[in-house]
Amino acid sequence: MQALFLYNTLSRKKEEFKAINPPFVGMYVCGPTVYSDVHLGNCRTFISFDLLYRYLLHLGYKVRYVRNITDAGHLEGDRDEGDDKFAKKAKLEQVEPMEIVQKYTLGFHDVMREFNALPPSIEPTATGHICEQIEMIKEIINQGLAYEKNGTVYFDVEKYSKEFNYGQLTNRKLEELLEGTRELSGQDEKHGRLDFALWISAKPETLMRWPSPWGWGFPGWHIECSAMSRKYLGDTFDIHGGGMDLQATHHANEIAQSQACYHKTPVNYWIHTNMLTVNGTRMSKSAGNGFLPEELFTGNHPLLEKGYKPLAVRFFMLQTHYRSTLDFSNEALQASEKGFERLMESYKTLQTLQASSSSSENIAELQKNCYQAMNDDLNTSVLIAHLFDTVRIINSANDKKTQLTSSDITLLKKIYDDFIFDVLGLKPEKGNEKLDSVLEKVMRMVLEMRANAKTTKNFQLSDEIRDKLLAAGIQIKDGKEGSAWKI
RNA sequence: GGUCCUGUGGCCGAGUGGUUAGGCUCAGCUCUGCAAAAGCUGCUACUCCAGUUCGAACCUGGACGGGACCUCCA
């Protein structure tokens, strides 16, 4: 099998993936800030990394997948307002900040489960790692690359840039970065325009605060990921991921913090996923154009014509490459939903396929194509195109137009299990098993009755059965070997 | 303003120098008692202009359009 190539933001090229210590792989992904419901755009990122996680597992790697929960330290705009997003929301809802955190963390997990995303190996929280963050800030101060002012600690970007390349992830020079930044106002405590807070001093009314060498306060946003990734994955690890919106600020700062501490590049492969857009504009919390997964599943949203099943939505997302923007629309969703159903239907057909002694298809070639697509920077668009080839092959064989040997069928089943279920994380929508088995028996009976009506040329009755079943949501599919049905 | 990405058929969306992407839609055909399902075929796609090349959607230059980041965001 060929090697896996991944696009590395650091080099802006596809690079062959080589683990530091195979078969182990350390992967860190920036998780959600749990002060409100995750929207669909957030989900896309986590589904993309779920795909990478699943594929690495499929290839036999032992992956430690760390995805944090940000439950402290995110300020909303100007930091002078004192409270972070959690405390603000808590005041609004008149609850404890940790009630906010708990509520939206549970909600996030529910949604991820619906999308059939595997849970990460470790899901650390910022509030659970205050000590580690304080220790790391102390190290940066000891290196002379951070300074304290009135209980707040800042990272000194310009001083850091004398020794290290601050703009490496975004391919920009310090001067360019400075040009694009706002002037410091007279009241600013920061030395330099690009400096960012590592620790923020708390005001008396601040709800979430911890003691530190610099007084009561709370951590800045960027330090948590550096501290937690280092704790669980080491000074240098394999893969760090997140949305593209984090690249320029959050990830650039993460690299700076780690480099400042231990003078080593913290990550070998930086992977960034692209945004989900609505009518061409990025879906975001602040823009207010976000869909909640729940609204999508129920169809309860002015822009939605109907509800969509979670895995149909997952399939919709996987049809686009993770580094392309994906535009959200009813039409596109409905197209994906139909394709997804056809794919799942062919899996059922595959289970009932009769083997022939000869073969008219090259299934091994098809399997190779699937690996090739995935190895090319997880090209799921191409992978899915190949999978639709299998649909055609299966349906043709089912119609007795082509032949498959039993080893062909076995290999096809393996392709489905490997790529559709294990790697893409799709699966047929599960109903109630007991109900299904009863329905199966009832349907067998009904189809038998209809077949009898047809043999006696009582087409009025057979059509009535068909039409009434359709009205009830069951579609009859007549074939040479009798009739089948689907919901 | 700066940095960068992008412009593909009715819709979504791969491809990045010569060979079918794929899905959905629509039309025709095959199968069928009819329909559906399934299969086949078609709707002759690459924003525009100039250049490089035997050959360009793909490379280069320019124009126009869309978007992202530079401030919290997956």
Side-chain angles (χ1 to χ4, degrees):
Chain A
M1 195 198 313
Q2 331 85 313
L4 168 64
F5 280 76
L6 295 172
Y7 183 90
N8 190 347
T9 311
L10 272 181
S11 62
R12 288 168 298 283
K13 278 196 218 76
K14 286 180 195 171
E15 292 177 12
E16 184 178 342
F17 176 70
K18 286 186 178 141
I20 295 167
N21 183 26
F24 301 100
V25 170
M27 174 161 95
Y28 187 93
V29 172
C30 291
T33 305
V34 285
Y35 69 98
S36 65
D37 291 305
V38 287
H39 62 68
L40 209 61
N42 303 120
C43 296
R44 185 188 180 202
T45 296
F46 302 127
I47 288 171
S48 295
F49 285 105
D50 184 56
L51 172 80
L52 175 57
Y53 179 42
R54 284 168 174 276
Y55 191 55
L56 290 169
L57 291 175
H58 174 75
L59 292 178
Y61 289 107
K62 307 251 183 284
V63 186
R64 182 179 292 165
Y65 173 23
V66 182
R67 186 183 65 205
N68 69 296
I69 293 281
T70 297
D71 60 350
H74 249 185
L75 289 174
E76 215 161 327
D78 191 355
R79 70 169 202 81
D80 281 334
E81 288 166 42
D83 272 323
D84 63 20
K85 289 178 174 176
F86 308 95
K88 272 197 166 169
K89 184 90 175 201
K91 279 180 181 166
L92 209 66
E93 296 190 11
Q94 295 193 313
V95 295
E96 278 291 316
M98 285 314 276
E99 285 183 81
I100 297 294
V101 166
Q102 178 74 357
K103 177 179 169 186
Y104 294 112
T105 302
L106 290 176
F108 172 61
H109 287 157
D110 285 346
V111 168
M112 284 297 109
R113 206 173 302 118
E114 294 226 63
F115 279 126
N116 199 27
L118 299 171
S121 327
I122 302 175
E123 194 167 46
T125 62
T127 56
H129 297 76
I130 300 291
C131 294
E132 287 85 350
Q133 295 177 69
I134 289 173
E135 284 310 306
M136 199 157 183
I137 295 168
K138 281 186 204 128
E139 281 181 64
I140 299 172
I141 293 175
N142 287 341
Q143 296 285 342
L145 293 172
Y147 55 90
E148 185 255 324
K149 192 100 184 216
N150 303 326
T152 295
V153 181
Y154 293 99
F155 190 96
D156 194 329
V157 172
E158 283 175 64
K159 193 169 176 194
Y160 169 85
S161 294
K162 291 193 175 116
E163 203 179 333
F164 304 96
N165 179 8
Y166 180 70
Q168 64 170 324
L169 200 58
T170 42
N171 192 27
R172 298 173 72 183
K173 296 188 172 67
L174 189 71
E175 304 80 68
E176 291 170 2
L177 287 164
L178 281 166
E179 269 173 36
T181 317
R182 288 190 295 222
E183 294 283 344
L184 286 174
S185 74
Q187 293 148 351
D188 260 311
E189 296 169 339
K190 296 196 282 189
H191 291 352
R193 281 188 262 172
L194 291 170
D195 294 359
F196 56 92
L198 297 171
W199 185 266
I200 297 158
S201 83
K203 298 193 166 176
E205 66 273 21
T206 302
L207 288 174
M208 293 177 86
R209 55 201 199 135
W210 292 264
S212 80
W214 316 284
W216 286 85
F218 53 95
W221 172 37
H222 313 297
I223 194 72
E224 60 163 299
C225 287
S226 293
M228 295 190 287
S229 61
R230 183 190 191 183
K231 174 165 183 171
Y232 297 111
L233 299 172
D235 286 355
T236 300
F237 55 94
D238 297 293
I239 297 170
H240 190 130
M244 275 183 183
D245 51 345
L246 301 183
Q247 183 183 325
T249 309
H250 183 54
H251 291 162
N253 292 347
E254 271 188 63
I255 293 176
Q257 288 162 347
S258 298
Q259 292 265 30
C261 264
Y262 45 87
H263 301 262
K264 274 193 240 174
T265 181
V267 175
N268 284 347
Y269 300 87
W270 282 92
I271 295 180
H272 289 100
T273 59
N274 216 319
M275 300 290 108
L276 183 67
T277 61
V278 182
N279 297 325
T281 307
R282 178 183 158 197
M283 187 180 282
S284 77
K285 285 178 187 173
S286 44
N289 62 350
F291 278 88
L292 300 183
E294 202 51 41
E295 293 168 336
L296 191 64
F297 302 156
T298 58
N300 186 17
H301 189 283
L303 283 175
L304 291 171
E305 285 164 14
K306 62 187 276 289
Y308 299 91
K309 298 223 172 81
L311 292 180
V313 177
R314 183 178 170 113
F315 180 75
F316 163 70
M317 291 183 176
L318 292 170
Q319 273 191 304
T320 305
H321 187 83
Y322 75 89
R323 282 191 293 112
S324 299
T325 54
L326 168 59
D327 197 58
F328 176 94
S329 71
N330 278 289
E331 254 188 318
L333 265 168
Q334 279 167 27
S336 288
E337 188 180 46
K338 286 195 177 165
F340 176 59
E341 280 172 7
R342 197 155 83 90
L343 193 62
M344 287 303 127
E345 204 52 33
S346 76
Y347 177 66
K348 282 192 208 155
T349 309
L350 176 60
Q351 306 309 311
T352 61
L353 226 49
Q354 307 278 322
S356 304
S357 52
S358 64
S359 173
S360 51
E361 304 283 347
N362 187 346
I363 309 298
E365 178 74 22
L366 216 136
Q367 185 190 36
K368 206 180 107 197
N369 290 341
C370 289
Y371 277 108
Q372 233 159 40
M374 280 307 287
N375 285 336
D376 182 18
D377 195 30
L378 313 180
N379 196 331
T380 47
S381 313
V382 170
L383 171 65
I384 288 169
H386 291 314
L387 291 174
F388 276 106
D389 285 344
T390 67
V391 172
R392 202 198 64 247
I393 289 169
I394 289 167
N395 286 332
S396 293
N398 192 46
D399 289 349
K400 304 276 188 277
K401 284 175 184 151
T402 56
Q403 291 80 44
L404 294 172
T405 62
S406 67
S407 65
D408 284 341
I409 293 170
T410 306
L411 192 54
L412 277 171
K413 284 180 181 167
K414 184 166 164 48
I415 290 172
Y416 267 68
D417 286 339
D418 286 349
F419 287 99
I420 299 183
F421 303 132
D422 289 355
V423 173
L424 294 180
L426 302 169
K427 59 182 179 187
E429 297 286 346
K430 263 225 173 92
N432 179 323
E433 267 179 49
K434 195 174 167 193
L435 211 63
D436 282 352
S437 84
V438 171
L439 187 61
E440 183 65 46
K441 285 174 197 152
V442 172
M443 281 308 298
R444 204 176 302 154
M445 184 184 80
V446 172
L447 289 180
E448 222 167 86
M449 288 165 68
R450 180 163 167 270
N452 287 340
K454 279 170 75 171
T455 46
T456 57
K457 300 231 187 287
N458 186 352
F459 293 124
Q460 196 189 343
L461 178 61
S462 72
D463 288 355
E464 189 185 338
I465 291 172
R466 181 219 290 157
D467 296 343
K468 284 193 172 163
L469 282 174
L470 190 64
I474 294 173
Q475 186 185 47
I476 300 292
K477 300 188 290 183
D478 289 337
K480 284 192 177 126
E481 315 285 320
S483 301
W485 61 279
K486 75 163 203 165
I487 296 174

